Amino acid sequence: MQTGQVSNKHMRTAALQCDFEGGPARTMKVPGLWQEFGFDTEQLFHTHAELYSAVFDAEPHGAKLKKYLAESRRRGIRIILYLNCHILLASQNRRAAEWALVDRTGAYTKLYGTYYGCCLNSSWVEYFLGVIDSLAPFEIAGVFFDGPVSIPCFCPRCQKLFRKRHGLAMRKAAPAVLAEFARAARLEFLRKAYTRVKQVNPAWLAYNNMGLLHGGGGADDMRALLACNDIVGTEGGFQFYGPPAQTDIWRCGLQARTVEAVAGARPRVIFMAGDHKPWSWYLHTPAETRLCYASALANGASVWYGIHCATSRLRSHAGAAAREMVQFDRRHAAYYADTESAAETALFHSFDTAAHYTSSGEASDLYDSSGKQCAGAAGDYMAGLNGAAGALFRAGIPFDIATELNLDRLECYRALVLPNIACMSEHTGRRLREFVRAGGLLLADGETALFDAQGQKRRDFLLRGLFGARFRGYRRYQTHDYFALSKPLDVFAAEGVDLLPAPTLALDVAAAPACVRGRLCPPLAGRYSGRPAAPEYPFIMARRFGRGRVVFIAGMFFEFYRKFGITHYDRLIGRILAGHARPPVALSGGNGAIEITIRRCAGRAGRLIHLVNYNGGMTRPIQRVAEIRGLELRVRGGVRRARSLTAGRALRVGCGGVIKLPPLREFEAVWAE
């Protein structure tokens, strides 16, 4: 009997998100293919697929599922059954009047331009719970819920329920109220589905596709959603959707870090599409395949590798690359079974800010990519978050994600970066003060703590005592204006750099002169108006607080970096952080396009260091990475011996414990003791 009990947190999960295999005989060969690749789990979709959706029905699917489960057991593959709960099957369109989402015009809401969405206040919910009941006789390890989505429905049932709850017509309600109504329906459905799974078989795993960086709800919503998940997973490896050159190379790693931040003891997974989204029948390049998989591993996540086409497409260079990565994962399962990050710097991701502040969207199969607007907000939260991730990435600083959900772990870090964390609760503010008072470094920018947790603007920063600055308004600049450090860094002075480009949006703040470490120059009339006047307005404040330090940048510094990539910005951030929290591992010979992580493995006295190489001819998708030679690693605390997991051999450890690395291709994994 398969159960949901796992021997460790790490899985190698295959997914075939459609059925184009050509008949039952070929379908039964798929478990053998997964075994050949090295997978140990399948999130099973294709045995009960209807094109690109799948909901189990015992009458047509039961016998096939029983036979498939037997073959999977023989191959050592455990099965988690996929159930779609955000779109109706095409064969269910006849029930649209009863089950489908309706938009404010009265038309049915279509997802992917193809399928009707499911109304979560309809009898469809009882139908779906009945599907879960029907799985009781089958020897599966769990159930995966793909969806649901938080889209307001204007069907008569929803309008009646909305009026009852809110006392007004849906069409007159503010967008935020409609969004909250939709989120509440989604959460209530997931609670019911999770409860029903545990009633049918308490040992089964149950989880859904969580949009951790998509701003679907604040911190309280996220806590409630996590209570409905035995595994925490998100679409960190679904890309590109838009122009590949606009996709941040740290995307997968950032998503994996966020999963780790909130998962606790739960297994964590990155959903990785093998196909170059949104083209389901066109796979990623081998290089992009290896890089995405390696970044997930490097950040402590299991990988779900799924395709949306026939398995025959895996007989390709991209398929060979996927197989190579799964085999590497399988061979080194002992290292990946139970790891934790050893980073001492954390980047703060705020669920409250993502939910309530202005934020650009990110395309995905399941989540809205349109973004959101907040009255009174000056910046773009997701742009700032990605800018800060980019600055840490380019500076070669291993980092984790901290959130409102793991504030009890802040003492694990020496430095904390807050990229325009505008929406902040009193509780979060208290924990941040305690972090600094105990000796931590807090680096923040923009409108951090200028709004409450629900997105209402305050008169002044909640953290004004930490920042040493009082909010007075805004300063708008053009892309030809400057700021200057009060005392230029030696390395900047040596390069003749005394003026740096200023963010186009800064804050007007009052600050004690002793705290000011950088000032904005008055705006120029035009780009060719001559040399800027002497710096005048407080821009960078630094001060002691208890045993710690605070650096506050009064402007959209990280958002501006995300857009323009000013190289001295990441060097400035690196210098600020290194002065208080020297990274636990340092790479020499690199060029800023190499992801570096360091992790501890349970039961092993050593550290696992990953390097993921995104040097690929300045193009995305990357077709071939540029091999880098002469790299050296220095691990704080020293190293006696080291081994390359990718090369399968010992590495030379030189004077001072410096590890000499072999030529770096897509990735390297080093075990150091």
Side-chain angles (χ1 to χ4, degrees):
M1 184 79 173
Q2 292 195 48
T3 72
Q5 300 304 311
V6 293
S7 58
N8 56 58
K9 299 176 185 176
H10 196 71
M11 301 175 287
R12 301 180 301 280
T13 304
L16 177 58
Q17 299 291 95
C18 51
D19 181 19
F20 297 103
E21 296 307 291
R26 292 186 178 179
T27 293
M28 292 304 154
K29 292 182 179 179
V30 174
L33 176 65
W34 298 152
Q35 181 188 35
E36 177 189 326
F37 265 62
F39 292 108
D40 61 8
T41 304
E42 179 178 7
Q43 189 172 287
L44 182 60
F45 181 113
H46 62 101
T47 56
H48 50 294
E50 185 178 303
L51 200 58
Y52 286 101
S53 186
V55 181
F56 180 78
D57 186 331
E59 185 173 340
H61 305 139
K64 182 192 289 187
L65 176 59
K66 187 175 182 180
K67 184 178 179 181
Y68 195 90
L69 289 171
E71 179 63 11
S72 297
R73 280 195 303 274
R74 190 172 77 83
R75 299 287 186 172
I77 309 293
R78 62 178 182 163
I79 297 298
I80 296 173
L81 200 76
Y82 173 104
L83 296 178
N84 194 297
C85 53
H86 66 289
I87 56 178
L88 300 182
L89 300 171
S91 61
Q92 294 172 334
N93 285 353
R94 69 188 189 283
R95 304 194 70 171
E98 182 184 358
W99 286 354
L101 279 171
V102 175
D103 66 23
R104 62 171 61 245
T105 72
Y108 295 130
T109 299
K110 281 194 172 183
L111 304 180
Y112 313 117
T114 306
Y115 300 96
Y116 295 148
C118 308
C119 174
L120 300 179
N121 292 311
S122 72
S123 60
W124 173 87
V125 174
E126 290 306 316
Y127 151 76
F128 189 87
L129 296 176
V131 171
I132 297 173
D133 292 338
S134 72
L135 295 173
F138 298 97
E139 299 181 11
I140 60 176
V143 179
F144 170 75
F145 304 121
D146 198 5
V149 293
S150 297
I151 298 177
C153 176
F154 289 80
C155 73
R157 296 174 303 275
C158 287
Q159 292 198 52
K160 182 178 180 180
L161 180 59
F162 186 90
R163 181 177 286 277
K164 181 179 179 181
R165 289 183 182 175
H166 297 279
L168 75 160
M170 285 187 74
R171 299 180 189 281
K172 296 181 179 179
V177 179
L178 293 174
E180 176 56 35
F181 179 73
R183 285 199 300 270
R186 177 177 180 240
L187 178 57
E188 181 60 23
F189 167 78
L190 286 171
R191 283 172 173 156
K192 288 179 179 177
Y194 184 82
T195 299
R196 187 63 63 90
V197 168
K198 298 304 179 180
Q199 289 172 345
V200 172
N201 190 330
W204 282 354
L205 294 162
Y207 64 112
N208 78 296
N209 190 348
M210 297 186 70
L212 297 176
L213 290 177
H214 287 82
D220 289 341
D221 285 346
M222 199 57 61
R223 290 187 186 92
L225 287 170
L226 285 166
C228 304
N229 285 269
D230 298 318
I231 297 174
V232 180
T234 196
E235 291 180 358
F238 274 59
Q239 56 187 27
F240 296 101
Y241 292 95
Q246 297 176 12
T247 299
D248 295 312
I249 56 180
W250 49 84
R251 181 184 188 278
C252 181
L254 186 63
Q255 297 267 8
R257 289 173 174 90
T258 307
V259 170
E260 181 169 28
V262 302
R266 303 173 185 87
R268 44 195 183 263
V269 62
I270 286 295
F271 301 118
M272 173 184 172
D275 31 293
H276 177 134
K277 306 308 297 178
W279 291 278
S280 297
W281 291 78
Y282 181 71
L283 300 187
H284 282 295
T285 66
E288 291 284 2
T289 300
R290 294 187 186 96
L291 290 169
C292 187
Y293 201 115
S295 185
L297 285 182
N299 289 284
S302 299
V303 176
W304 171 106
Y305 180 81
I307 57 172
H308 301 76
C309 52
T311 57
S312 59
R313 283 293 196 276
L314 293 174
R315 294 194 292 271
S316 61
H317 292 308
R323 177 177 172 176
E324 173 190 319
M325 293 305 301
V326 179
Q327 290 284 353
F328 173 87
D329 194 354
R330 181 186 61 80
R331 288 195 306 273
H332 300 98
Y335 291 95
Y336 294 109
D338 191 1
T339 71
E340 65 174 0
S341 173
E344 296 179 358
T345 296
L347 173 63
F348 200 97
H349 167 50
S350 167
F351 291 114
D352 288 333
T353 305
H356 302 299
Y357 189 80
T358 294
S359 182
S360 53
E362 182 182 42
S364 171
D365 255 7
L366 191 62
Y367 305 105
D368 180 24
S369 63
S370 60
K372 56 179 62 67
Q373 299 293 317
C374 169
D380 179 333
Y381 170 64
M382 283 307 300
L385 180 71
N386 276 293
L392 294 172
F393 179 96
R394 298 290 185 189
I397 299 174
F399 69 94
D400 293 346
I401 288 290
T403 78
E404 293 97 340
L405 275 60
N406 61 340
L407 292 171
D408 58 338
R409 285 185 48 80
L410 293 185
E411 64 271 12
C412 298
Y413 304 108
R414 294 173 59 83
L416 191 60
V417 179
L418 276 62
N420 196 20
I421 305 302
C423 301
M424 186 178 294
S425 69
E426 296 278 351
H427 173 67
T428 298
R430 283 194 298 273
R431 290 293 293 116
L432 293 175
R433 291 188 195 93
E434 292 167 4
F435 168 77
V436 179
R437 188 178 287 113
L441 168 67
L442 185 74
L443 169 60
D445 83 328
E447 293 188 297
T448 291
L450 193 55
F451 294 71
D452 67 18
Q454 287 72 45
Q456 296 300 308
K457 197 166 189 176
R458 296 182 168 104
R459 285 188 165 187
D460 204 347
F461 305 112
L462 175 66
L463 301 180
R464 60 187 175 275
L466 277 182
F467 294 166
R470 181 166 51 85
F471 175 74
R472 300 195 303 192
Y474 299 94
R475 296 185 183 278
R476 297 193 178 273
Y477 286 84
Q478 301 300 316
T479 52
H480 51 246
D481 289 315
Y482 299 87
F483 77 92
L485 300 176
S486 301
K487 183 180 180 182
L489 299 178
D490 292 342
V491 65
F492 289 8
E495 296 173 357
V497 176
D498 61 341
L499 293 171
L500 292 168
T504 51
L505 182 64
L507 277 62
D508 180 9
V509 297
C515 296
V516 179
R517 298 293 184 269
R519 293 180 182 272
L520 293 157
C521 299
L524 288 166
R527 67 173 65 92
Y528 298 127
S529 297
R531 182 176 175 83
E536 181 177 347
Y537 311 117
F539 181 56
I540 300 177
M541 276 61 68
R543 64 187 298 263
R544 293 280 179 184
F545 185 87
R547 292 162 50 201
R549 292 179 59 228
V550 181
V551 176
F552 174 59
I553 305 176
M556 304 306 167
F557 183 89
F558 291 118
E559 182 179 334
F560 188 77
Y561 176 78
R562 167 71 175 79
K563 182 180 292 186
F564 291 98
I566 303 299
T567 185
H568 288 84
Y569 272 34
D570 59 63
R571 292 167 67 181
L572 175 60
I573 295 304
R575 181 63 67 91
I576 291 171
L577 294 173
H580 191 87
R582 186 162 58 91
V585 61
L587 177 69
S588 62
N591 60 2
I594 300 173
E595 182 176 15
I596 306 171
T597 66
I598 180 168
R599 304 186 66 81
R600 291 181 287 264
C601 303
R604 288 177 174 265
R607 284 154 290 184
L608 184 59
I609 302 163
H610 282 87
L611 308 175
V612 185
N613 177 17
Y614 288 94
N615 290 277
M618 297 180 68
T619 63
R620 298 291 303 270
I622 295 171
Q623 299 181 48
R624 185 188 301 273
V625 299
E627 182 179 274
I628 302 179
R629 295 174 177 268
L631 296 175
E632 295 181 343
L633 275 177
R634 186 182 298 274
V635 182
R636 199 175 70 218
V639 170
R640 291 179 292 118
R641 54 181 173 268
R643 181 175 181 80
S644 166
L645 300 188
T646 53
R649 64 177 177 85
L651 298 176
R652 185 161 66 91
V653 179
C655 181
V658 174
I659 304 169
K660 311 291 185 178
L661 295 177
L664 176 63
R665 296 181 177 85
E666 281 89 358
F667 78 105
E668 178 62 84
V670 175
W671 177 251
E673 300 179 36

